[in-house]
Amino acid sequence: FTDAERARILGEAYFIRALNYFDLVRLWGGVPIVVYPTGSIEDGVGIPRSDKAAVYEQILYDLEKAEQYLQLTTTKSRASKGAVWAFRSTLYLYLERWQEAVNNANKVIEQTTLYQLNKSYSDFYLSKNTAESIFEIEYTINNRNNYAINWLPGSLGGRREFLPTDDLISLLNNPLVGGDRENLLLLDQGIYYGNMDFKPAMGIDQVYVFRLAEIYLNRAEANVKLKKLADANNDLKKLRARANVSEVSDYANEEELESQIQLERRLEFAFEGKRWFDLIRTNKAKATLGITKDYKLLLPIPQPLIFV
């Protein structure tokens, strides 16, 4: 390897480990932290479960290392310094470190030659590696993504296992809040389905991990906490205008503005797997989904992984 290749590979490894631990801690809470190679069965014995704070510290450490090795790049399907900043802007919302969330969001948004909001909402999923994309997982006909099968009707090669809820359908179809995001819905024989130009026959649909719209909303949410309501309103209005929402207002009340930002996240990322995590992060999952037991906010440890 050249020094540049070695640095890129190390940076990508740190980034991917951080991303995996981010999913682990959000889904299961504290998990064992394994940061050394496993050379034998004995190496994996006796590693205790860490608390959530320790896992988040490990993620921050990995992102710091990744930032040292990675460069800014136009290749959106590989980890980059921009992806590190985007990741940290999201992570700091979980840690309630609001100014750091803003600082990292600013670093991304200021890279205007690399990252720009697409002119139309649907553009990010109609093409791969668009200007709005920061980090996406690329699939090809040889490395297929079968996710779309779950969304579409049988007439389009799907299995109809996932359907948008009635209230989401109503919101997306409401021009006052949904705007062009109504294009996320496909109406077939009286039933609404999710629609992101899915291609089940080819399996080439991208998965969008970080895109610029999320970074604007990260910054808006953090700025509300910092009582910078004008800045938060500007970011919210920017996304609503891009989606051709017919009502783009300023909100002077912190609670209402925060609620509108969360609504925007729900619509903007409707089928991108962020809703559950947002409800958990903002402590709204129980009230919103009618969950009565705290243990239901985490996934159970799979039984085959439990050893005596």
Side-chain angles (χ1 to χ4, degrees), residues 57-115:
E57 283 303 313
Q58 180 62 48
I59 295 169
L60 285 170
Y61 172 82
D62 283 347
L63 290 178
E64 181 180 348
K65 298 293 287 186
E67 184 179 15
Q68 293 173 14
Y69 289 114
L70 293 172
Q71 304 295 321
L72 290 169
T73 175
T74 57
T75 304
K76 309 299 182 68
S77 56
R78 303 193 79 101
S80 67
K81 196 183 292 286
V84 170
W85 298 334
F87 191 166
R88 277 205 298 237
S89 81
T90 300
L91 178 61
Y92 282 132
L93 294 183
Y94 284 79
L95 300 177
E96 299 184 357
R97 292 162 60 171
W98 310 119
Q99 189 58 58
E100 289 165 294
V102 170
N103 293 345
N104 279 273
N106 286 342
K107 289 180 180 180
V108 178
I109 293 169
E110 288 166 3
Q111 297 296 323
T112 55
T113 59
L114 289 175
Y115 312 120

Side-chain angles (χ1 to χ4, degrees), residues 276 279-280 283-294 297:
W276 169 255
L279 289 175
I280 293 291
N283 296 313
K284 291 182 171 60
K286 291 172 70 175
T288 302
L289 303 176
I291 298 172
T292 58
K293 304 293 185 180
D294 284 342
L297 301 178

Side-chain angles (χ1 to χ4, degrees), residues 239-260:
L239 289 188
R240 288 187 167 175
R242 191 274 290 272
N244 284 325
V245 171
S246 59
E247 184 176 289
V248 180
S249 306
D250 276 318
Y251 299 93
N253 179 279
E254 290 180 31
E255 185 175 345
E256 184 179 13
L257 178 53
E258 189 168 8
S259 176
Q260 290 296 320

